[in-house]
C-alpha cells in the first residue's frame, strides 16, 4: 500500500499548531492573536485581530460566523 503524502505537519496536533503559529503568525498577529505583533506596524492593512470576532469570510447571510467559519 502507498502512504499518503506528508506535509511535515501532523493533522490534529494542537501543540504543532501552536508551534506553527508562533513561528509564522505571531510576529504580525501577536502572541494572543490580537493583531499587535512586533511587525504589525509595518503592514497595511493591519493584521487581523482574531479576538474581535470580526471575520472577513463567513458563510452566513447575516455575516455572523458559525463554528465552521
Amino acid at each position: 500500500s502507498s502512504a499518503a503524502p506528508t506535509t511535515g505537519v501532523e493533522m490534529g496536533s494542537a501543540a504543532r499548531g501552536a508551534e506553527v503559529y508562533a513561528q509564522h503568525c505571531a510576529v504580525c498577529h501577536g502572541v494572543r492573536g490580537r493583531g499587535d505583533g512586533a511587525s504589525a506596524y509595518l503592514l497595511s492593512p493591519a493584521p487581523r485581530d482574531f479576538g474581535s470576532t470580526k471575520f472577513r469570510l463567513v458563510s452566513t447571510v447575516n455575516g455572523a460566523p458559525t463554528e465552521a467559519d
Side-chain angles (χ1 to χ4, degrees):
S1 92
S2 63
T6 59
T7 62
V9 176
E10 292 182 30
M11 295 303 293
S13 170
R16 180 66 179 138
E19 184 179 309
V20 169
Y21 181 88
Q23 285 182 319
H24 300 285
C25 307
V27 70
C28 297
H29 291 283
V31 174
R32 299 185 56 106
R34 298 295 183 179
D36 60 353
S39 296
Y41 75 98
L42 297 169
L43 301 174
S44 179
R48 186 165 309 280
D49 174 354
F50 296 127
S52 72
T53 68
K54 293 179 183 172
F55 294 84
R56 193 173 126 206
L57 303 173
V58 296
S59 62
T60 58
V61 174
N62 68 0
T66 65
E67 287 297 317
D69 291 329

